[in-house]
């Protein structure tokens, strides 16, 4: 039994270790086109910001260690073709010669690539300017690090997770930062509008010049280095540009294998991570998952999801039985002194899906108001009108306080109701929460709001 | 409709405000024997420690504000008798004259009193020594504050929540502290043995001299001030003694009314907070509740439980309909730099109940190990063998990280399984957790352990 895995980061390496554990007799081989395997890509912005000591700290398992566990790792091996009838791959070594590799089970864990918009593409051509970057892997991070020398003014394009984390990182490094966002607010795909505003306020409080509703038209360069960004509202000078406008799943290999994509554009799989092609599996950022709240297919490339899909694929490829449970849409990030967390659906997302949803907004303190250092915490809880089913939550507050979003994630997992949440025996002591934890207050209000007819409730 | 409430702290005041809101026509009167109503008793140790600025900060609602909301408040009114046939109370005002008060609905929210062991009782007699204290209400706190002047050496008797919180408070105030505990470990009724040891280590690291397996025999005094504690292992000198050996429910009035007590010694009620006596309700620390995990009656006097029972009683007394959902046994406290949380049952408690339980212990970091300031976090997860039903959890770690116990509390509330927990889409980003949050790791291990026969699993 030869199990071949394409892609050696989160999903790929999780799959490899699980497959080997499931079936120690199997040959497990990982082809990775890059130089590194098994690194925490989510930590990249924090190496730049200085919260992580170096890129090597992100590496969880080296090729040597994997080999010690009986997993073969081939670095700088790019898989450029697949014949799913013959069950073979075409592999290019070190950018040179190609050869053929057989497989009995194949996992495509090819991840995503940053979107590189047309206006930025000259910068990446051989004739283009330096100082224009994306951040997806360790070499990207190293290139940014090199570009930072002498840089003073950065422009970040895109106000999603990566853009926001980079804004903080570059401010930590002493640069002036302008953040450009095409939409009306930052974190627009993560939060409802009011919470977007609070995130923007935190950025501005920390010296980030946030400009929303601005599109980029082109870059300017001089002597091979970027010098500015031409936008819909004028030219902005800079010596560093970060392009963080989203990612696209790497699906070329899946398509070559005959695997179907879903409406999301990512690879479609069943809950055992099988594609429609026999013996071909997919897992990780290139793959769809099921959103348990809506029971729809979604493409949400995040670290835990990728690792979990990888485990499931690894077990199944090696003859075991595991199912991916789906996601509920949890996400968390930090921007300067503000923690931001969400799970399930925002009101906006629920509306777009045609759900009859109602949201309540509660402000409280992260611990007892009389206990020193109490900080504000904001919870928006979204429920289905009539049934009271929990649909989602958003939390803003001190970074130490927002992981209580996980309580909501746990209840969403089992399709709980706001009334259930209102009754939970949450832990209380003055240094940790108010007697009525903000989640309980929000649940009580949402429980009431969900019982009222639409015309009597907040939007 | 005249609703009379005996006791004006957590349960009593919650009941009063809810009853008035439920039925604005009702007369709602609260009799409180003390000077204060509606204060956060859980905050008392933190006033002494300095984390709360003064005792007045603990007061959530003044009598004036309550009167403004239409609730009558009678301070220094002790209810000393009840005739549940005639529906009247005997009330002593300011320690003097008594009179009779009628009621239509009566709530007994009389709370608990600290246990005052025989060896300490001379200290409280008129001939006794000063410097010997319990901590239950604001006057207790004020008396401690007065005793602290010039005090250098404190002995705390009892290693439960209050004893541990006082140990930290008195160290903050610069005293040397000896903590005496009769049992083999501190937090013995809260945690399993291994975790008790870690709490003890944290106390010792912060200069608390912890002595377990020691019983107190008597106190010594000189010139009206305590000078030492005679123990089973010798005389210990001190100038301050804190007695924190537990609490007893105040049930005399309930018994006088004809209300039955449960096996726990606290007042027995149904889930609407009704005693067996018509029109007589009980709520708060004097009252039993149902432990949802075991479906047994328990007596766990804690703040949220008291407030929640009070609300339920208030709504029902005023003609509404509410039910107390029971507790799952959540508790949380801080001792110096260590946060400690538990919910459900410990392995020890499960064993004592004859449940077939298995526990797993997991150590991880509170956030990504490569991100600066990662601190250890320890999770013990307890599950029912065979079914995998979650029975409980214990968490130790940085205070900012242990409130994730609430995820377990939420799942216990709905009788979830460790397998469910293992599948939850918990939020992840490097500043907030590992990719596999410690709860997921523990759940995965517990899920496996619960499937194995007894002889193959850890105790």
């Amino acid at each position: 039994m030869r199990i071949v895995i394409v892609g050696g980061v989160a999903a790929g390496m999780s799959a490899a270790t699980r497959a080997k554990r499931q079936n120690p007799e199997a040959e497990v081989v990982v082809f990775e086109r890059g130089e590194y395997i098994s690194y925490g890509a989510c930590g990249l912005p924090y190496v730049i910001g200085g919260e992580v000591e170096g890129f090597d700290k992100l590496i969880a398992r080296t090729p040597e260690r994997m080999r010690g566990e009986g997993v073969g790792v081939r670095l700088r091996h790019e898989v450029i073709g697949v014949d799913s009838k013959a069950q073979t791959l075409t592999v290019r070594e070190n950018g040179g010669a190609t050869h053929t590799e057989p497989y009995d089970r194949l996992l495509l864990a090819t991840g995503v690539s940053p979107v590189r918009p047309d206006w930025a593409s000259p910068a990446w051509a051989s004739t283009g300017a330096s100082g224009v970057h994306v951040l997806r892997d360790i070499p990207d991070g190293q290139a940014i690090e090199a570009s930072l020398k002498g840089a003073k003014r950065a422009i970040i394009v895109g106000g999603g997770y990566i853009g926001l984390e980079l804004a903080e990182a570059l401010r930590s490094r002493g640069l002036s930062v302008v953040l450009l966002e095409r939409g009306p607010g930052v974190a627009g795909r993560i939060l409802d509008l009011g919470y977007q505003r609070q995130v923007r306020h935190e950025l501005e409080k920390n010296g980030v010049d946030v400009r929303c509703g601005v599109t980029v038209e082109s870059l300017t360069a001089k002597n091979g280095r970027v010098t500015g960004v031409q936008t819909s509202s004028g030219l902005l000078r800079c010596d560093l540009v970060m392009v963080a406008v989203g990612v696209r799943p790497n699906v070329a290999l899946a398509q070559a294998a005959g695997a179907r994509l879903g409406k999301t554009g990512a690879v479609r799989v069943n809950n055992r991570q099988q594609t429609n092609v026999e013996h071909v599996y997919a897992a990780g950022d290139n793959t769809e998952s099921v959103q348990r709240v809506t029971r729809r297919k979604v493409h949400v490339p995040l670290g835990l999801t990728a690792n979990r899909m990888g485990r499931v694929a690894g077990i199944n490829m090696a003859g075991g039985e595991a199912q991916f449970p789906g996601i509920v849409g949890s996400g968390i990030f930090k921007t300067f002194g503000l923690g931001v967390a969400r799970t399930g659906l925002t009101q906006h997302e629920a509306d777009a899906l045609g759900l009859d949803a109602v949201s309540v907004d509660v402000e409280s303190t992260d611990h007892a108001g009389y206990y020193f250092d109490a900080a504000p915490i904001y919870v928006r809880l979204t429920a289905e009108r009539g049934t009271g089913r929990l649909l989602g939550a958003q939390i803003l507050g001190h970074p130490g306080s927002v992981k209580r979003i996980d309580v909501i994630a746990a209840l969403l997992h089992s399709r709980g109701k706001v009334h259930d949440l209102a009754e939970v025996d949450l832990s209380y002591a003055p240094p940790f929460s108010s007697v009525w934890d903000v989640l309980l207050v929000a649940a009580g209000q949402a429980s009431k709001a969900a019982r009222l007819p639409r015309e009597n409730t907040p939007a």
Side-chain angles (χ1 to χ4, degrees), chain A:
Chain A
M1 163 78 86
R2 187 173 207 242
I3 295 172
V4 174
I5 293 167
V6 184
V9 193
M13 294 319 293
S14 293
T17 50
R18 278 300 163 123
K20 192 69 191 174
R21 205 183 300 172
Q22 179 73 31
N23 181 357
E25 304 302 309
E27 182 192 356
V28 179
V29 188
V30 179
F31 293 103
E32 166 56 45
R33 67 178 173 185
E35 299 273 336
Y36 301 95
I37 59 159
S38 190
Y39 58 90
C42 308
L44 290 166
Y46 300 104
V47 180
I48 294 165
E51 293 88 352
V52 179
E53 279 174 18
F55 293 106
D56 56 320
K57 294 279 181 199
L58 300 181
I59 295 170
R61 286 178 291 214
T62 59
E64 291 67 37
R65 181 167 151 200
M66 293 311 302
R67 284 176 202 130
E69 292 179 19
V71 172
V73 175
R74 312 276 162 79
L75 297 181
R76 297 175 296 277
H77 278 57
E78 186 174 17
V79 178
I80 57 172
V82 54
D83 181 337
S84 58
K85 291 240 164 57
Q87 298 194 185
T88 58
L89 300 176
T90 307
V91 181
R92 187 190 300 282
E93 282 179 56
N94 295 307
T98 64
H99 70 278
T100 298
E101 294 270 356
Y103 69 81
D104 295 307
R105 300 287 181 279
L106 174 65
L107 175 66
L108 301 174
T110 49
V112 289
S113 291
V115 170
R116 294 165 188 255
D118 287 344
W119 53 258
S121 48
W124 285 293
S126 58
T127 56
S130 70
V132 184
H133 299 272
V134 294
L135 178 57
R136 181 68 207 163
D137 56 25
I138 290 178
D140 290 339
Q142 290 165 332
I144 292 170
E145 197 57 50
S147 261
L148 276 170
K149 291 193 185 87
K152 289 183 177 150
R153 291 184 293 186
I155 292 179
I156 296 169
V157 185
Y161 288 113
I162 303 290
L164 296 173
E165 289 171 350
L166 278 171
E168 183 179 353
L170 296 181
R171 289 293 295 145
S172 299
R173 296 292 292 268
L175 277 76
S176 77
V177 174
V178 178
L179 188 136
L180 303 180
E181 165 59 43
R182 193 171 53 174
V186 294
R189 296 183 59 188
I190 305 168
L191 302 171
D192 280 331
L193 203 57
Y195 281 27
Q196 292 175 29
R197 279 194 209 105
Q198 289 206 54
V199 172
R200 178 176 182 157
H201 179 70
E202 182 70 16
L203 289 162
E204 290 174 340
K205 219 174 69 184
N206 288 280
V208 178
D209 179 356
V210 181
R211 306 191 186 187
C212 293
V214 174
T215 52
V216 173
E217 290 163 3
S218 61
L219 302 177
T220 60
K222 196 174 169 185
N223 301 331
R225 175 92 186 189
V226 70
T227 55
V229 174
Q230 186 66 51
T231 77
S232 55
S233 55
L235 177 70
L236 299 170
R237 301 231 154 259
C238 67
D239 42 25
L240 192 64
V241 175
M242 300 286 174
V243 182
V245 297
V247 293
R248 280 205 194 98
N250 295 324
V251 295
L253 213 54
Q255 289 182 298
R260 265 201 293 274
L261 307 185
K263 282 183 193 157
T264 66
V267 184
R268 191 176 179 93
V269 291
N270 64 14
N271 64 6
R272 301 184 73 236
Q273 301 301 136
Q274 293 174 298
T275 70
N276 58 297
V277 181
E278 200 174 20
H279 304 322
V280 179
Y281 294 72
D285 288 355
N286 60 327
T287 307
E288 289 186 339
S289 51
V290 172
Q291 162 46 291
R292 290 173 71 97
V293 178
T294 62
R295 295 188 170 136
R296 283 163 184 256
K297 296 276 191 170
V298 292
H299 178 230
V300 183
L302 286 175
L304 173 60
T305 303
N307 276 276
R308 194 172 250 157
M309 282 183 180
R311 283 189 176 190
V312 169
I315 292 168
N316 289 325
M317 287 192 295
E321 173 58 42
Q323 299 188 352
F324 183 71
I327 65 169
V328 297
S330 304
I332 193 166
F333 68 96
K334 191 178 89 65
T335 182
F336 299 98
L338 188 68
V340 182
R342 61 153 285 164
T343 190
L345 306 174
T346 61
Q347 176 72 41
H348 180 78
E349 288 167 344
D351 289 343
L353 289 164
L355 291 165
D356 191 5
V358 59
S359 293
V360 297
D361 290 293
V362 172
E363 181 184 349
S364 180
T365 48
D366 56 350
H367 54 253
Y370 55 71
Y371 188 94
F372 89 104
D373 243 5
I377 181 167
Y378 303 86
V379 172
R380 164 164 267 230
L381 203 59
T382 303
E384 188 174 57
R385 212 186 300 269
T387 65
R389 182 162 72 97
L390 258 175
L391 293 177
Q394 296 159 68
I395 305 184
L396 297 184
H398 183 278
S401 70
V402 299
K403 209 171 187 306
R404 56 188 90 180
I405 197 79
D406 287 350
V407 174
I408 312 294
L411 291 173
L412 285 172
H413 188 86
S414 55
R415 299 179 81 80
K417 300 189 171 188
V418 281
H419 181 71
D420 299 328
L421 174 58
E423 294 199 331
V424 176
D425 182 20
L426 297 183
S427 60
Y428 159 63
F432 297 95
S433 75
S434 306
V435 180
W436 293 98
D437 188 287
V438 62
L439 293 184
L440 299 177
V441 178
Q445 294 191 11
S447 182
K448 264 186 229 158
R451 282 195 297 266
L452 296 174
R454 172 176 283 275
E455 55 275 21
N456 295 346
T457 54

